Amino acid sequence: MGIDFSHGEAQWSYSGFAQFRTAIATREGIDLNQMYGYGGERSWDTITSPLRPLLDHSDCDGNLSPADCTAIASHLHTVVEELWPATLQQDDDPIGTYHRQAGLALADGMEQAAEADEPLEFM
């Protein structure tokens, strides 16, 4: 059991998706443990990252609007490429390699949803 999306090929286990979101949040200067919904008290209104709608979202249901997908996708591509570069080797970092592959697939799925003017559903 894990997380799938209505568009694209991205999928994670729940724990893997939590690791992925923690990594991209950290890259954006966000400590998820301080954030509302992750056990903290900090309001999401203080966050200006384009990734905010993805980070401030349930990991098991709901959706992101086409507008959210458009705002997130390009930045997500950049963040994934920085965290897990194409030169990353499967044998050296299998988890990072998986996050790279799934993260890029998620960004692509967001682009597909936006182009179709459909929400990206979390399933």
Side-chain angles (χ1 to χ4, degrees):
M1 180 172 242
I3 300 168
D4 294 296
F5 302 90
S6 59
H7 296 77
E9 302 297 320
Q11 60 182 356
W12 279 273
S13 65
Y14 286 108
S15 62
F17 192 57
Q19 290 171 350
F20 174 77
R21 289 205 293 188
T22 298
I24 63 174
T26 299
R27 161 40 183 83
E28 296 292 285
I30 302 166
D31 179 352
L32 288 182
N33 292 322
Q34 294 179 357
M35 302 308 299
Y36 181 79
Y38 288 88
E41 303 274 330
R42 185 174 176 195
S43 169
W44 284 99
D45 293 337
T46 64
I47 303 299
T48 59
S49 167
L51 301 181
R52 175 184 162 189
L54 176 62
L55 298 171
D56 180 22
H57 192 282
S58 168
D59 63 359
C60 61
D61 60 9
N63 62 63
L64 293 172
S65 71
D68 284 339
C69 289
T70 297
I72 296 167
S74 176
H75 192 67
L76 183 58
H77 270 287
T78 299
V79 169
V80 168
E81 291 283 353
E82 287 178 10
L83 288 172
W84 303 286
T87 57
L88 193 64
Q89 297 297 310
Q90 173 72 25
D91 293 339
D92 295 335
D93 187 357
I95 294 171
T97 303
Y98 188 86
H99 286 322
R100 174 188 168 72
Q101 186 177 45
L104 294 175
L106 177 57
D108 291 345
M110 289 178 174
E111 290 172 348
Q112 292 169 13
E115 288 172 14
D117 197 29
E118 298 173 347
L120 177 82
E121 296 179 36
F122 287 56
M123 306 184 301

